[in-house]
């Protein structure tokens, strides 16, 4: 028998959000009130994956984590962020740069069979952009480019209020746009990419190349040395910010988004870095092209928030 009063209670949906990161697996269970549309976190757990892991281990661990956090409660949908190229339409992982065994893996299909509900999968740059746009620093704008600057440089677009993935899901790859064709060689085979100049490990590598015997291990160490007056560290940090700023200015000219949201470890480098990013970006863009560059709101959890946003509208 129907109970009419139950229809007026704004029943909530239970969502499972999964984040397959390069070195960690994170799961969360959220309750979404269908009228308020504001998710509440009910459970959250992160596991650091051991070295030498593979796709089978990651998938089995994540499924166990999901069931543990759900604790027998019925789930409405599962949103997934994956740290590597994904075909969003079919939910197939193309590959992982960090973990073997993910090549052409039907992740959406496998998780739908496991949990018996709709599953949506996207790559971590797109989900982080979606998470910052829906719940974080980018709330209320129509267009933004989210950029993560850490061990690499990646990006994801929100255009017209939705994810813009591009023809093959490769949109937003600002890290491998070239800002200095005569610059140093990047891992991708080109010279002077934004990532080659702006990312943490490359900054540390460039520092070591200039100061034999006095290496700094990370981008963070370079930023700290720069703040303490180390002239070489300062020039490397400034070049990182300049390269990113030129990339942003070019992206602004091409697409004219309202906002650039910057996340990742390198963005903690302080005002020297931020001032130069903004200066170079506005210098590169045409004077008629207006935009704002701001820090991300979420740190490591932006992709998880995006995984929630992927499925928050799914009704049971
Ligand atoms: Zn490159």
């Amino acid at each position: 028998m129907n109970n009419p009063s139950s229809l007026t209670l704004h029943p909530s949906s239970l969502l499972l959000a999964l984040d397959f990161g390069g070195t960690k697996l994170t799961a969360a269970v959220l309750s979404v009130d269908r009228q308020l549309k504001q998710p509440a976190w009910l459970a959250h757990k992160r596991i650091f994956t051991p070295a030498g892991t593979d796709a089978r281990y990651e998938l089995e661990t994540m499924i166990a984590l999901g069931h543990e956090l759900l604790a027998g409660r019925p789930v409405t949908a599962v949103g997934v962020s994956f740290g590597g190229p994904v075909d969003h339409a079919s939910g197939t992982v193309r590959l992982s740069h960090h973990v073997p065994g993910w090549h052409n893996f039907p992740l959406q299909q496998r998780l739908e069979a496991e949990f018996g509900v709709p599953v949506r999968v996207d790559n971590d740059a797109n989900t982080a952009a979606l998470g910052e746009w829906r719940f974080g620093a980018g709330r209320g704008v129509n267009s933004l480019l989210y950029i993560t600057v850490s061990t690499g440089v990646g990006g994801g677009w929100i255009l017209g209020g939705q994810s813009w993935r591009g023809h093959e899901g490769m949109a937003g790859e600002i890290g491998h746009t070239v800002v200095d064709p005569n610059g140093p060689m990047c891992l991708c085979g080109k010279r002077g990419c934004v990532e080659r100049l702006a990312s943490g490990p490359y900054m540390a590598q460039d520092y070591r190349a200039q100061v034999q015997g006095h290496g700094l291990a990370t981008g963070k160490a370079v930023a700290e040395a720069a703040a303490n007056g180390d002239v070489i560290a300062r020039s490397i940090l400034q070049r990182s910010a300049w390269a990113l700023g030129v990339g942003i200015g070019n992206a602004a000219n091409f697409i004219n988004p309202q906002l650039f949201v910057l996340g990742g470890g390198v963005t903690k480098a302080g005002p020297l870095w931020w001032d130069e990013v903004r200066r170079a970006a506005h210098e590169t863009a045409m004077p008629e092209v207006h935009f704002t560059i701001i820090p991300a709101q979420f740190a490591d959890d932006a992709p998880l928030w995006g995984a929630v946003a992927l499925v928050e509208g799914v009704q049971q």
Side-chain angles (χ1 to χ4, degrees):
M1 198 175 90
N2 281 340
N3 177 1
S5 68
S6 70
L7 299 175
T8 62
L9 286 175
H10 320 136
S12 58
S13 309
L14 213 58
L15 304 179
L16 177 61
L18 307 176
D19 177 14
F20 292 81
T23 55
K24 52 191 183 285
L25 301 170
T26 313
V29 171
L30 299 96
S31 157
V32 184
D33 185 300
R34 285 190 192 145
Q35 200 162 68
L36 295 174
K37 295 277 178 71
Q38 188 56 44
W41 297 77
L42 302 180
H44 178 278
K45 194 167 178 181
R46 173 166 293 154
I47 291 176
F48 288 90
T49 50
T53 188
D54 62 9
R56 176 197 285 263
Y57 169 87
E58 289 205 331
L59 184 65
E60 285 175 359
T61 304
M62 196 62 115
I63 286 172
L65 203 53
H67 285 305
E68 180 193 329
L69 297 186
L70 284 168
R73 291 171 291 193
V75 65
T76 305
V78 182
V80 184
S81 173
F82 188 87
V86 166
D87 176 33
H88 171 71
S90 67
T92 304
V93 172
R94 289 207 187 126
L95 66 113
S96 164
H97 296 292
H98 309 282
V99 180
W102 281 112
H103 187 70
N104 285 337
F105 189 89
L107 184 57
Q108 177 182 322
Q109 198 184 336
R110 180 69 184 79
L111 290 173
E112 283 182 343
E114 178 66 34
F115 290 99
V117 296
V119 175
R120 298 287 177 273
V121 185
D122 208 344
N123 76 56
D124 54 351
N126 288 341
T127 53
L130 192 60
E132 287 287 348
W133 173 72
R134 177 66 182 87
F135 301 113
R139 272 172 301 174
V141 307
N142 187 259
S143 55
L144 65 81
L145 179 63
Y146 169 85
I147 306 172
T148 178
V149 193
S150 88
T151 52
V153 177
W157 284 106
I158 298 291
L159 295 178
Q162 51 186 308
S163 286
W164 175 259
R165 301 178 176 91
H167 166 53
E168 297 172 303
M170 296 297 289
E173 282 285 0
I174 190 169
H176 298 284
T177 53
V178 173
V179 295
D180 181 3
N182 300 313
M185 187 71 84
C186 180
L187 203 66
C188 74
K190 298 191 305 279
R191 288 184 177 277
C193 296
V194 169
E195 178 168 304
R196 174 60 189 83
L197 300 171
S199 70
Y202 273 127
M203 275 198 279
Q205 177 183 318
D206 289 347
Y207 187 91
R208 286 194 298 273
Q210 288 193 45
V211 189
Q212 283 91 356
H214 294 85
L216 295 171
T218 62
K220 187 177 177 210
V222 173
E224 285 167 359
N228 290 328
D230 181 322
V231 176
I232 293 171
R234 204 181 157 90
S235 78
I236 288 170
L237 189 69
Q238 196 142 16
R239 192 177 63 159
S240 156
W242 167 84
L244 183 67
V246 172
I248 287 173
N250 284 326
N253 280 343
F254 285 142
I255 305 287
N256 190 206
Q258 189 174 346
L259 195 63
F260 291 85
V261 179
L262 311 187
V266 175
T267 66
K268 309 281 185 243
L272 175 71
W273 187 86
W274 276 93
D275 290 350
E276 178 62 13
V277 169
R278 291 190 171 108
R279 191 201 62 75
H282 287 287
E283 188 183 83
T284 302
M286 295 164 68
E288 299 84 358
V289 175
H290 301 108
F291 54 89
T292 311
I293 305 173
I294 61 169
Q297 181 175 326
F298 304 123
D300 288 350
D301 277 339
L304 203 61
W305 278 106
V308 174
L310 276 178
V311 289
E312 64 174 333
V314 173
Q315 305 277 318
Q316 201 161 32

